[in-house]
Every structure is written in C-alpha cells, then in structure tokens.
Amino acid sequence: MNRDELLLSVNDLTVSFKTKKGMAAAVRGVSFDLAPGESMAIVGESGSGKSVSSLALLGLLPKSAEISGSAMFQGEQLIGMPEKQLQGLRGRKIAMIFQDPMTAFNPLFTIGDQIGEAMEVHGLASGKEALSRSADLLEMVGVPEPGRRVHQYPHEFSGGMRQRAMIAMAIANKPDLLIADEPTTALDVTIQAQVMEVLADIRGETGAAMILITHDLGLVAGSAERVQVMYGGRVFERGTIRSLFYDPRNPYTQGLLSSMPRVDNNAERLVPIQGTPPSLLNMPSGCAFGPRCSHRGPECGERPAELVEVGIDHASRCHRSAHIPRWSEVSA
Amino acid sequence: MNAPLLEVDDLKTHFPIRAGLLRSVVGHVHAVDGVSLSVQPKETVGIVGESGCGKTTLGRSILRLIEPTSGAVRYRGEDVIGASAQRMQELRAEMQIVFQDPYASLNPRMPVDDIISEPLRVHGTDKGEARAKARELLDAVGLLPEHGNRYPHEFSGGQRQRIGIARALSLNPNLMILDEPVSALDVSVQAQVINLLDDLQDEFDLTYLFIAHDLSVVRHISDRIVVMYLGRVAEVADSAALYDHPAHPYSHALLSAVPVPDPDLERDRERIVLQGDLPSPSDPPSGCRFRTRCPLAVERCAEEMPELREVAPGQAVACHFPLAPGETLIDRVGALGV
Amino acid sequence: MTDVLENPTSGSPVPSVGEAEGLAEKSESVGRQAWERFRRHKLAIVGTVVLALLAVAFWVGPFFVSYGYEEVNIIDRAQGPSWDHPFGTDDLGRDLLARALRGGQFSLRIAIFTAVLATSIGLVMGAVSGYFAGVVDGGINFIVNVLLVLPALVLLALLGREFGARPNTMAVIIALISWIRAARLVRGQVLSLKEMEYVQAARAAGAGPFRIIRTHLVPNLVGILLVEVTLLAGTAIILESTLSFLSLGVQPPDTTLGTLIAEGKSTLDVRPSRVLIPGGLVTAIILSINFIGDAMRDAVDPKSGIE
C-alpha cells in the first residue's frame, strides 16, 4: 500500500522508563502500519509492552517515560508533538476505550454531561444539541431508554452499560482510529459478547480503524484482521489472523496457543510454556523468550533475533525459524 | 454410586442490606439461594457462572467461612453446618481452599515456610516438623525447597499460586475448593498451574470443587459441571455432555459467548448474544431467575420457579422448556417465530 | 541471579526470570534481613546514637554536675552561661544544666512511655473492635466518641490534679486520652485486612481470632503503629509542657523540658539560651524518634528490598 494512504505508520517505537533500579525498556522497536478502517490486534501477556506502545502514541505516558521512534498519523508526527496539539487529536481523531469503565467516568457528573463534554471540548456541539447527540450515541451502542439514561450518573450504570457509554463517548466525534485497551477484560463473557458486537457494528457504521489490545487470543480470532504478538517489548510474530492461528511460526505464539484450554475441544493435557514472563528490569540477553523456549539453540542466548518475513504478510522473530516445526505437526 | 464425599442440600446464604441511621435491615442479597449438589470422592466438579451468580459465596459457605442462612452441608455424611467449634476445626483439615488472588492470599510479612506451615501449626504440629513438611510441599508444587525463607513478593504470580496450593495441601485434605485459582494468571502460566492441579489430584487422591468464570478452563479440568445463575443451579451435567448439548438456554448462551482461538469457527458460529444485564441479587425476578434475559421465556416462567430435574442420565436442568439434544437455542427461537 | 523453577511435567529445570530476581543469593535469617534494611537509613543510625547519648547524659550526667537540680542559690540567680554554670541559672539561681538533665529524664520517659502505652491501648482496642465488629465494636466506639467529645485539656487537668505530679502517672494519664487516633487507624486497617484472602485462608485452616490477630493482623499494622508512636512521642512532650505550664503537671522543684521552655519564654529577648537549649533537646529527641521510627517501618517490611 502507498504510504500516503496509511492511517497510522509506526516505526521503531521505543519506550523506556526511569526507575529506581535503572532503565526499564517496555517497548523495544515496534513498527506497524494501519490502513484506514482496518482492525488490528496486539496480543501479549502482562509486561509485554502491548498497552504502553499505544499510550505512547497518544502521549499519555508519565514524564518519566523516554520515547523515541516515529508514528505518523494522517501525515502528522505524533512522537514529540506538543501537548496542546495532541489534545486536539485525542478524543477527536483518535479515541481510547479503557479496561475499567468505572474510573473512566467522573462520578460527579451525569453520563450525558460527560459524553457532551467530549464534543464540547472539540467545539463540535454544545448545550442542548450535545445532550441530544449524547442520547443518540447511547442508542447507537445499545443502551436502552437513552433519553432517560443521559441524565443518570455512572454508578447507576452496570459494568456492561458503562462500557457501552464509554464506547459512545469514544465515537462521539467520529474518530478515525479507536484504540481499545482490554475493553472487555472486566466484563462477564455474555456481556463481553454484547460489547464486542457493539464495537463491530459501530466500526461498520463509522468506518473507524481499530487497534484492539488484549491478552485473549480467542477475542482476537473473532474481531481483528491482523495481529501482532508481543513479548518482552518486541513484536514476535505478526500476520493476518488466518496465518497466525492456522500457521503460527514463532515458538512463543505456538506455545500460547497450545497452553490455552479450549471450550470447543478438550485436550487431555495442556502444553504450558515453562517459566514466567521476564521482568522489564531483567531482560534475558539475546532472545527475550530464549530461556523459556523449547527450541532454543546456542545463538538464542547471544543476540536478539530479527523480525523476518516467513510468508505473505507474515513475519516471525526467531533465530531458528528453519527448525521450528509447522503448527499442523505440533497440534496434531 | 458410591457415597458422596460432599453433599450440599438447599443451601441458602443471604446477606442483610442495612440502611439508614439505625442500620436497620431493608432487604437481603440472595447470594446463594437454594443450591443442592453432590461431589463424589476423587471427582472434579466445576462451578461456572458470571459475576454475581453466587459461586464464590457458595464455596465459602460450604467451608463456613461465611455462615450460611439455611440448608445443609454434609461431609462424608456428617453435618458440617451444625458441627461444634472443635469438630469444625478437625473438619477444616479435611476441606481446604485455594484463592484467586495470588497477591492478597499470602501474608506479605510472613516467609513462605511459615505461610505453608501455618495450618499445621494451628493443628498443633511443632515448629521443626511443620517447617520440614513445608519444604516437602514446596517440592511437591514445583518450587525449590530452599526458597522457603523468602517472602511472597519475591515470587511471580504463578509461583505464588503454587505456594497457596502448598498451604492448602499441608493438612492432607480430601476436598479442595479452588476458587478461581488460575484466573489472575497469564495464559502461559495458567496452563502450568492447571497441569499441577491435575498431577496433585492423582498424587494425593484429591477431590476438587473448581469454581471459575472461564468456561474453557472449567471444561478442561472438570468431570462434571454445575452452571449457576443468580444464586441458583441452572444445569448440572457431565463435562462433555454440557458442552455437546446444553439443555438450559443460559448454558447454551454462555457457551456460545466464549470466544475460541479459531478465526473460521468464530466467523461461522451462531452466537447468541443475550440481551440485558444480570438482575440484582437483592431483588431476583419471580419464577425462573433467567426469564428476564431468556429468549424463550413465556408467562409460566414468571409464575413458577423451575425445579432441577433430570433430562438425561447425569444431566439435570432447571428449566420449564429445556433444549433437546442437538437442538440449539437458535432453532428453538426460529420455531417459536420470535 | 536466576531463580530455578522445577517443572513438574518434564522434570527439566527451567530458569525463571520473573519478579523473583534481585534476591540476596545467600539465605539470611529474618532478623538479619531486618537489620540490613534498618542499617540503610543513615539518619536512623544518627538518631539512635543521639538518643543513646542523650539518655546517658540525662541519667548519668547529674552525677558529674556540681549542683543539684533543686539547689537554690539566690546570689547566682538569672545568670548567663559561664564556666561554673554552663547553661546559666534561673530566677532562683538553680543551675540550668542540672535542671535540663533532670527535665530531659522526665520528658524522655514521658515521651516514650506515653507513646508506647497509648499505641498499645490503641492497637488492642482498634484490633478487637475492627475484628469482632458488632457489640464489641459498638462499645469501643462509644468510649471513643465520649473521649472525643470531652475536651482533652479539661480531662487532663482533672486527672492531673487528682493523680498527677509523678512522671509515670503523667504518662499514663496522657496515654489514656491519646490512644483514640491509634485505635481508629488500627480499626480501619483491620476492617480491610480481615477481608484479605490470607486471613480467610487462616480461618479455613482453623485458626482462631487471637491467632489471626497476632500473626496476620499485627505484623501488617506495625508500619502505621510506628508512625503513630513517633507522632505521639512529640505530642506527649508538648501536652506535658502545657500541663506543667498550667501547674498541673510535674510539680516544682521537679521539672521537665517543656516546663523549662515555658519558664524561659519570659526572658526570651534577653536570654534566648533559656529557651533554645531545652527546645533544642526536645527537637533532638523528637527527630531521633522519628528517624528511628521510619527505619523500623522499613525494617519490618520485607518488601522494602535490599539493593
């Protein structure tokens, strides 16, 4: 695709935090492109850097974070953009949906006020108009009786309804990009299904692109077109959902899939990945996954592997790609 | 059928809601509202349901960590609810619990040896012997015995959960109540702990009551599954039967909502998205608890509470109109012309 | 360092690099680890030394001073510092060095005794009230509310007049009205701690309430209790001097640092040393206790890791 047509192009994004025990590199050179309307998932376990990378794009990290690299959004450089200018983008062109809908709303104002506020900040609507638009938005995300609910306070909403209200707030200004950070992790599975359905419908209507950040591979399979698997601050594998779920090439991705119990078929015994994810302060030298990898060789301890193409629109970061059995053999 | 290890009979645990200046009782939360189930020795029974279904309260009521309001719990036929304080102390050695949160469930000020050996010390084992046993248990759960003098914060989430399991094992219990033991863990670590639980069950002849909201995990580990909704049992069935042909509309909807890591299956499957939210357990709906969200609900469902009845050998369901094997909720809704 | 997690499925040791990094390689005893954490606070070491020196001076010093604290000498009254009277003399010609040492003895005793006593009462009351709730909690809350409503100073004055005068009774009296804050802190803390799963786990193991309070609640309360002790030590010295100022405290010719400051205030313009010297001693005592308290809080917290 032509670079000018891209919505977002991230190149070599690196984020480190100053801590008492030294520098912690949370994201180490992440690159990806996102086309308008596209849906991409970033999957990883805790400490993989999946959330930090998107917070860095929006300038939402604390001052102790050192960010480098480039992120072009609609032709504008996000990294190093002045706060004032970022504020103009946040909530208007790029909107965020967080995991915990309770803390995302101010308990002292009504839901309608807060959705309206999101529009007023960017001068897109105000007063009565903002309130009636808020009600429309709540209706769009499936909140019953929106005319009454706009006057209610966040504590009067259930968890699922609050998450819908947050989606309504996020789409209030018709953003071009939605970043959903674990949007359903705090919700029950039946409510999760409702919310994911709402998100899909909304994207269908507004044409917004989405970055879905999650630890749940199952959720990814049903709601994204492309996936990046992150581990220890790096992208370990990226590809279309089909290539990633049916032909995963990286030992970490394979390990994740085989350690998941599945509701649709029952394995006699799970095959876990040994050990625990590395701490940011104590990354193994060489490949971050090396110490836990069952295919490791001598080179894995020496230097980090490069992300190399292993197929069409499919890349894996592994020194021993040639020695990794194909998934069809592993899962058989 | 053998004599069950654990029987729960019409157990109810209601919490008073207090309000006003005098803290007078204005209502009750019906957290557990008439649950009956039985567990055979060496069996794993899974209890699934969404938040607010009462599964955690049920687990704690069985152990009397929360005193139930009414009903009976029998361990090897012996009444647990009416047991004297002294007898209860002895019974506690037989029935242990593992908690969800690997951070909140270990006292941060205690070295791991002391944490694991505390139950032994409570039951009168002397210090040296208790410590030796703690080290043995560390080994049994896959940790290094010499790490016993370290503090909980020095371990990762998965390792802490192993410590919690070692503590529960210290009194050689028969029954272990596992309350969301893996839901706080990363996927790759979760599988390690599940396998460990499998191994320990064989090694120590344990009986598990496995409480979780994650249906994939429950399916993997359980022989039989109890589906709870709003304080009551919706369905009980063998693990395979439940996943193959759920009879309760709620079980069916719940299963269809679980995402699977398979893009084609995800795209093609018929997902039943339930409407609405869980009603408040302080004011549960009349009749069938599920009727406010059930696509099949008719007048009778509001008037008459369905009793749990057997629809197939080993499969019992609390629904006036259970689904037949092979029938899906979508077929039924289509046939009704809703 | 690497931490080896034995894998029960394959039996092959796999190095795990989770949060378990940064452990001391050698296994040290719990007490030794606590001492290591204490020692890292340089100020606490200074505080300990200062407090020890002061205590020695207060108790041993008087044997080396040629004047008694109650010895009146009208001729030498109201003098500035000199070789004979290093701290000067007061309006009755009593040696201020001897009086500062005597006052220091009492103030230090009152500060430490009161703080420890009040915190202990607060701990017991707060823990019992938080853990058992119900009637016990109601009863203790009633006492707390009554004490809060009664003006502390009036109560102190009444009790002081009835039983006062001796430093130990003073300390007990001050403690009896100042345990409330500690009790409320502890109660709040216990209410949340008792819901922690490790307390539930102890109950599931059959542990009784007193064992749970002793092994699970108290160790987790030590942090806030130590802060409370250091705050109370300061409050006690000040309360005592207020009482002494109202002539309800330690009775002359005996004295305390608070009394000395109060006496010196009238001549602050001419002889600031009469306030500065006892004032400096009070400051030194309170600061030292504060530093030690801070370090002890870290020492008892295994999470404040060793670098």
Side-chain angles (χ1 to χ4, degrees), chain B residues 135-143 169 196 200 203-204, chain C residues 8:
Chain B
R135 303 255 153 147
E136 262 172 53
L137 286 164
L138 276 171
D139 189 47
V141 297
L143 293 171
L169 282 174
L196 172 69
L200 293 172
E203 196 179 334
F204 297 102

Side-chain angles (χ1 to χ4, degrees), chain C residues 33-57:
Chain C
Q33 288 178 23
W35 166 240
E36 287 297 323
R37 285 189 291 262
F38 184 88
R39 224 177 49 164
R40 278 185 296 147
H41 290 256
K42 296 279 179 300
L43 282 173
I45 304 288
V46 174
T48 313
V49 171
V50 169
L51 212 56
L53 286 178
L54 283 177
V56 170

Side-chain angles (χ1 to χ4, degrees), chain A residues 6-244:
Chain A
L6 290 173
L7 178 70
L8 175 69
S9 175
V10 175
N11 210 338
D12 203 21
L13 181 69
T14 299
V15 183
S16 332
F17 293 96
K18 259 196 212 100
T19 71
K20 270 187 271 177
K21 294 178 180 172
M23 292 300 283
V27 178
R28 311 170 165 224
V30 164
S31 307
F32 63 86
D33 293 336
L34 192 71
E38 194 181 18
S39 160
M40 185 184 82
I42 303 181
V43 193
E45 298 180 285
S46 47
S48 62
K50 59 185 190 300
S51 290
V52 175
S53 45
S54 61
L55 291 173
L57 295 181
L58 286 177
L60 290 174
L61 287 175
K63 289 221 158 49
S64 65
E66 282 177 18
I67 306 168
S68 68
S70 139
M72 300 298 287
F73 176 78
Q74 295 180 334
E76 287 185 280
Q77 177 60 260
L78 293 179
I79 308 300
M81 182 183 270
E83 176 61 21
K84 198 100 201 140
Q85 217 178 327
L86 271 172
Q87 281 171 7
L89 276 180
R90 285 201 294 257
R92 194 162 64 88
K93 297 280 189 186
I94 307 177
M96 196 101 199
I97 299 166
F98 293 98
Q99 171 177 345
D100 184 358
M102 191 67 224
T103 52
F105 285 104
N106 183 334
L108 300 178
F109 295 93
T110 64
I111 294 284
D113 281 345
Q114 297 185 57
I115 299 177
E117 165 95 6
M119 291 183 264
E120 285 174 36
V121 166
H122 297 288
L124 296 174
S126 61
K128 277 228 146 47
E129 196 202 339
L131 197 64
S132 82
R133 289 262 302 271
S134 303
D136 295 344
L137 287 163
L138 285 182
E139 187 163 23
M140 260 176 90
V141 296
V143 173
E145 301 179 73
R148 188 171 66 85
R149 307 281 289 201
V150 280
H151 298 293
Q152 289 188 336
Y153 290 87
H155 74 265
E156 298 174 82
F157 276 55
S158 68
M161 284 300 152
R162 233 180 272 134
Q163 194 57 282
R164 286 162 190 261
M166 182 144 66
I167 295 173
M169 187 154 80
I171 59 168
N173 300 316
K174 300 199 174 60
D176 297 310
L177 173 60
L178 279 172
I179 300 180
D181 189 353
E182 301 271 10
T184 58
T185 304
L187 305 176
D188 279 318
V189 59
T190 60
I191 308 296
Q192 162 171 292
Q194 292 173 0
V195 169
M196 291 314 290
E197 195 179 64
V198 164
L199 264 178
D201 291 349
I202 290 295
R203 290 209 314 114
E205 277 173 52
T206 64
M210 178 168 78
I211 297 178
L212 173 70
I213 298 162
T214 180
H215 68 282
D216 186 344
L217 278 166
L219 205 61
V220 171
S223 45
E225 293 150 31
R226 287 195 300 137
V227 201
Q228 308 209 59
V229 178
M230 285 189 71
Y231 187 83
R234 290 198 167 91
V235 175
F236 264 61
E237 185 162 7
R238 71 152 177 256
T240 62
I241 50 165
R242 291 193 59 85
S243 58
L244 213 105

Side-chain angles (χ1 to χ4, degrees), chain A residues 222-287:
Chain A
S223 45
E225 293 150 31
R226 287 195 300 137
V227 201
Q228 308 209 59
V229 178
M230 285 189 71
Y231 187 83
R234 290 198 167 91
V235 175
F236 264 61
E237 185 162 7
R238 71 152 177 256
T240 62
I241 50 165
R242 291 193 59 85
S243 58
L244 213 105
F245 283 96
Y246 298 134
D247 187 23
R249 302 291 291 273
N250 195 282
Y252 175 60
T253 317
Q254 292 188 351
L256 273 184
L257 284 169
S258 60
S259 59
M260 274 180 80
R262 289 175 58 154
V263 78
D264 56 331
N265 66 28
N266 198 7
E268 195 46 43
R269 196 172 172 85
L270 302 172
V271 186
I273 303 174
Q274 308 307 337
T276 32
S279 120
L280 292 182
L281 290 163
N282 192 14
M283 276 292 165
S285 58
C287 175

Side-chain angles (χ1 to χ4, degrees), chain B residues 5 75-76 93-95 172-176 205-208:
Chain B
L5 185 73
Y75 176 79
R76 291 192 197 281
E94 309 263 316
M95 302 186 280
N172 293 323
N174 285 307
L175 175 69
M176 287 246 258
D205 288 336
L206 297 167
T207 305
Y208 288 155

